[in-house]
Structures are given as structure tokens and as C-alpha cells.
Amino acid sequence: MIGAIDIGGTKTMTAVLSDAGSIIESRYFPTVSKDWREHFKITADAFQRCAQPYLQELVGVGINVPGMADSQKGTLIYAPHQNWKDIPVAEYFRNAIGIGEVIVENDVNSCAIGEMVFGGGGTDFLWITVSTGNGGAIVANGKLIRGVNHCAGEFGHLKVEFEHPRKCTCGQLGCLESQSSGTAIRELFRERLMGDSALLALVQETEAELPDFQRDARGLSILAERGSETAREIFWTAGRYLGRAISYGLNLTNPQRVYLGGGVAKSLPLLLPAIREEIRRNAVLGAADVEIMETKLGYHAALLGAGALILQGR
């Protein structure tokens, strides 16, 4: 049995997995961004409740963090969305859980490792998440590229807008995360609602029909499916920024394919035309013909990636 903890920007998951990637037991709860100590205590307690029947069989715990991580030291270097810095993650959870083997990794790096271990992802690919924020990972010749200071693959902070840049949580302007994350799409949706009476009327009609409708990226995709040109235009804009960031990665690494994960990746058909157009505009000919697909691991990609850390080791 393998322990897996995925600390995300808005939600956290803890689980016990089999070594084949089956989820045996799991818990889900919101991430408490204001205080990492409070959140880590909640997480450790949830994991212990989850893992209690399997403690004797656990071989280790893999932990994802939502930012740059030093996997050798087991520390979180910086998580821009939460503004968490220099946190001894592995040390905390070794003490709190009472298990010796704890491996810590950036969440999207874990997704890429999980794609290799459980998804047959190949040897050369980019893995990009479009969720609360944007993150990325690079796999070349079957190995994850981390970089000398553990910053490789930070697609979320590639600059994709220069004329009208939005401020990013990292403090800089025009980052992919500020222009094309799930958070950015939600904000653009809400801004457009203020001046688009047709869109507002469709939202109100949809809310009356679907009680769980939310004014977020998922809700926007529903409106696009119902024929809203404004919704499709917002996805086109987001796809254009994604395509621009992906093209940088293609020119640098020439991968076989690009995997997209995170909640917004479910809207890939709405994003893909603009992604393709931007790649054609920016990527060199030999790199542009790349396969782009949603992760094979689905909703639990990050959780499976956390478990894969233990199977693959450092």
C-alpha cells in the first residue's frame, strides 16, 4: 500500500493506493491557504483516519505541494497562490504521521511521473495543468527535468501577454497563470457578465435550470455548449495564451505530445482550435506537429502522481 497526499490550490486529497494505482481509501477537503500549519494538521489527521486500517502495509507517503519543491530536502520552496515559503514538508509529515519514507514533489511534476508510471505516457512530453493556477512539467528521454534550482517546467509564469497584462499572484505581470488559469477564466467570465446582457440572461436561465451551476470555467463551458458566442470567445482567448506558452516549450524540448490536466482540461475541445493556431504561429515547423491530449489519468492525476513518487523513488 502507498500513501498519497495532494495539496492543491483550493482542495486537498489524501488517499491510500495499491501499487497498481487503485484508490483504496480517500478523503477530500478544502485547502486552508491562510496558515500552512493549520492546514498541514488537518491534512495529517485526515490521512491518518484514511490510512489507519493499512498502516502496517504502507511503504511510504508521496506528497504533492502547489509550488516549487526541493524533492531532495523535502521542502516547499514557494507556492505563489498561498504565499507559502520555505516549509519543511517532509519533516512535518514524518513526525505527524509516524512513517519514515516521505517524498515531496511539485504537484505537476508528480502528475508527469504518474503519467509515466500509471498512464504509459511515453518518454518525451510536456504536462500542463489548467486549474486554480497553471503549472507544468518536462519529461525528456524518460526523465523529469527539475533544473538546478527546481524551477524547470514553470509554465504558469511564462509571459504570454504584454499589451494588457494582468497581475499574477507571483507579483509579475502577464504570466500564463494570470491570463489562462481556471481562476483567470472565472474572472474574465464575471467581468464580461457586467456588460453583456445576453450572456447574463443565459446565465440566469441556466441557473434556474441547473441548481449546481457555478459562474466559473465549468459553468462557462456549459454556456459555450448552449451556443454562447461570448463563452466561446473567452475560451478562444484562454486557448490562445495556452498555445503561446506551449509553443515556447515545443521549441525548447520538441516533445512527442502534450498532456493537459486540471479541471479546465475538460474543456479541451473549446480550447484546442486557438491552441493549434497559436502553435502554428509560434512553433518551429519540426516541433509544431505535436499530439495534444487530456491526461489519461483523469481527475485523480495528481493523487496518482503522489503515489507514483514512492514507486519511482527519488
Side-chain angles (χ1 to χ4, degrees), residues 185-193 215-216 220 223:
I185 292 171
R186 182 193 66 209
E187 291 304 312
L188 187 55
F189 177 17
R190 294 178 178 181
E191 288 171 14
R192 293 296 296 270
L193 270 176
R215 299 184 184 192
D216 56 11
L220 192 68
L223 300 183

Side-chain angles (χ1 to χ4, degrees), residues 23-88:
I23 298 174
I24 308 302
E25 196 78 37
S26 62
R27 299 285 189 281
Y28 301 72
F29 46 94
T31 298
V32 181
S33 297
K34 63 180 180 180
D35 185 340
W36 70 264
R37 290 177 180 83
E38 179 184 349
H39 184 63
F40 280 20
K41 184 180 186 306
I42 293 169
T43 302
D45 290 346
F47 179 79
Q48 287 177 313
R49 290 195 302 273
C50 191
Q52 187 61 42
Y54 312 100
L55 288 177
Q56 298 304 314
E57 301 172 75
L58 280 180
V59 296
V61 180
I63 302 177
N64 296 340
V65 292
M68 291 170 277
D70 184 333
S71 60
Q72 294 299 313
K73 295 180 180 178
T75 59
L76 169 64
I77 299 170
Y78 180 44
H81 188 75
Q82 287 83 5
N83 197 30
W84 292 349
K85 298 178 182 178
D86 302 321
I87 298 172

